[in-house]
Short mmCIF file of all heavy atoms in Angstrom, two decimals:
data_model
loop_
_atom_site.label_atom_id
_atom_site.label_comp_id
_atom_site.label_asym_id
_atom_site.label_seq_id
_atom_site.Cartn_x
_atom_site.Cartn_y
_atom_site.Cartn_z
N VAL B 116 8.69 2.47 -30.03
CA VAL B 116 9.62 1.38 -30.29
C VAL B 116 8.80 0.09 -30.30
O VAL B 116 8.14 -0.24 -29.33
CB VAL B 116 10.73 1.31 -29.23
CG1 VAL B 116 11.65 0.12 -29.46
CG2 VAL B 116 11.51 2.62 -29.20
N ILE B 117 8.84 -0.61 -31.43
CA ILE B 117 8.06 -1.84 -31.60
C ILE B 117 9.00 -3.04 -31.53
O ILE B 117 10.08 -3.03 -32.13
CB ILE B 117 7.32 -1.84 -32.96
CG1 ILE B 117 6.45 -0.58 -33.12
CG2 ILE B 117 6.50 -3.10 -33.13
CD1 ILE B 117 5.33 -0.47 -32.12
N ILE B 118 8.56 -4.06 -30.79
CA ILE B 118 9.35 -5.29 -30.71
C ILE B 118 8.49 -6.47 -31.17
O ILE B 118 7.26 -6.41 -31.12
CB ILE B 118 9.87 -5.55 -29.27
CG1 ILE B 118 8.71 -5.64 -28.27
CG2 ILE B 118 10.86 -4.49 -28.85
CD1 ILE B 118 9.14 -6.09 -26.89
N ASP B 119 9.17 -7.49 -31.64
CA ASP B 119 8.49 -8.71 -32.08
C ASP B 119 8.44 -9.67 -30.90
O ASP B 119 9.46 -10.12 -30.41
CB ASP B 119 9.23 -9.34 -33.26
CG ASP B 119 8.52 -10.57 -33.80
OD1 ASP B 119 7.33 -10.77 -33.47
OD2 ASP B 119 9.16 -11.32 -34.55
N ASN B 120 7.24 -9.97 -30.42
CA ASN B 120 7.06 -10.86 -29.29
C ASN B 120 6.22 -12.05 -29.74
O ASN B 120 5.00 -11.95 -29.84
CB ASN B 120 6.38 -10.11 -28.14
CG ASN B 120 6.32 -10.93 -26.86
OD1 ASN B 120 6.90 -12.00 -26.78
ND2 ASN B 120 5.60 -10.42 -25.88
N ASN B 121 6.88 -13.16 -30.06
CA ASN B 121 6.19 -14.36 -30.55
C ASN B 121 5.33 -14.06 -31.78
O ASN B 121 4.14 -14.36 -31.81
CB ASN B 121 5.35 -15.01 -29.45
CG ASN B 121 6.19 -15.51 -28.31
OD1 ASN B 121 7.34 -15.89 -28.50
ND2 ASN B 121 5.63 -15.51 -27.10
N ASN B 122 5.93 -13.42 -32.75
CA ASN B 122 5.25 -13.05 -34.00
C ASN B 122 4.13 -12.04 -33.82
O ASN B 122 3.28 -11.88 -34.68
CB ASN B 122 4.73 -14.29 -34.74
CG ASN B 122 5.86 -15.19 -35.21
OD1 ASN B 122 6.94 -14.71 -35.53
ND2 ASN B 122 5.61 -16.48 -35.24
N ASN B 123 4.11 -11.36 -32.69
CA ASN B 123 3.15 -10.26 -32.47
C ASN B 123 3.95 -8.98 -32.23
O ASN B 123 4.81 -8.94 -31.34
CB ASN B 123 2.26 -10.53 -31.25
CG ASN B 123 1.32 -11.67 -31.47
OD1 ASN B 123 0.84 -11.88 -32.58
ND2 ASN B 123 1.05 -12.43 -30.42
N ASP B 124 3.67 -7.97 -33.01
CA ASP B 124 4.33 -6.69 -32.80
C ASP B 124 3.65 -5.97 -31.65
O ASP B 124 2.41 -5.90 -31.58
CB ASP B 124 4.24 -5.82 -34.06
CG ASP B 124 5.14 -6.35 -35.17
OD1 ASP B 124 6.05 -7.14 -34.86
OD2 ASP B 124 4.92 -5.96 -36.33
N GLU B 125 4.47 -5.46 -30.72
CA GLU B 125 3.91 -4.70 -29.60
C GLU B 125 4.92 -3.65 -29.17
O GLU B 125 6.11 -3.76 -29.44
CB GLU B 125 3.53 -5.61 -28.44
CG GLU B 125 4.65 -6.45 -27.88
CD GLU B 125 4.18 -7.40 -26.79
OE1 GLU B 125 3.15 -8.06 -26.97
OE2 GLU B 125 4.86 -7.47 -25.76
N GLY B 126 4.41 -2.63 -28.50
CA GLY B 126 5.27 -1.57 -28.02
C GLY B 126 6.16 -2.06 -26.88
O GLY B 126 5.80 -2.98 -26.15
N LEU B 127 7.31 -1.43 -26.75
CA LEU B 127 8.25 -1.78 -25.69
C LEU B 127 7.82 -1.07 -24.41
O LEU B 127 7.97 0.15 -24.27
CB LEU B 127 9.68 -1.39 -26.08
CG LEU B 127 10.77 -1.63 -25.03
CD1 LEU B 127 10.84 -3.12 -24.67
CD2 LEU B 127 12.10 -1.13 -25.53
N LEU B 128 7.25 -1.82 -23.48
CA LEU B 128 6.76 -1.27 -22.22
C LEU B 128 7.95 -1.01 -21.30
O LEU B 128 8.74 -1.91 -21.03
CB LEU B 128 5.79 -2.25 -21.56
CG LEU B 128 5.15 -1.82 -20.25
CD1 LEU B 128 4.23 -0.62 -20.46
CD2 LEU B 128 4.37 -2.98 -19.64
N ILE B 129 8.08 0.25 -20.84
CA ILE B 129 9.20 0.56 -19.96
C ILE B 129 8.75 0.82 -18.52
O ILE B 129 9.56 0.74 -17.60
CB ILE B 129 10.03 1.76 -20.48
CG1 ILE B 129 9.18 3.00 -20.64
CG2 ILE B 129 10.76 1.40 -21.74
CD1 ILE B 129 9.98 4.25 -20.97
N LYS B 130 7.46 1.12 -18.34
CA LYS B 130 7.01 1.42 -16.99
C LYS B 130 5.50 1.25 -16.88
O LYS B 130 4.76 1.62 -17.80
CB LYS B 130 7.38 2.86 -16.63
CG LYS B 130 7.13 3.25 -15.20
CD LYS B 130 7.65 4.66 -14.96
CE LYS B 130 7.54 5.04 -13.53
NZ LYS B 130 8.06 6.39 -13.27
N THR B 131 5.04 0.68 -15.77
CA THR B 131 3.62 0.58 -15.47
C THR B 131 3.37 1.34 -14.18
O THR B 131 4.03 1.08 -13.17
CB THR B 131 3.20 -0.89 -15.29
OG1 THR B 131 3.51 -1.61 -16.48
CG2 THR B 131 1.72 -1.00 -15.00
#
Side-chain angles (χ1 to χ4, degrees):
V116 177
I117 305 296
I118 58 171
D119 183 16
N120 187 8
N121 296 330
N122 295 328
N123 292 325
D124 288 342
E125 57 184 46
L127 177 60
L128 182 66
I129 58 173
K130 187 176 186 179
T131 302

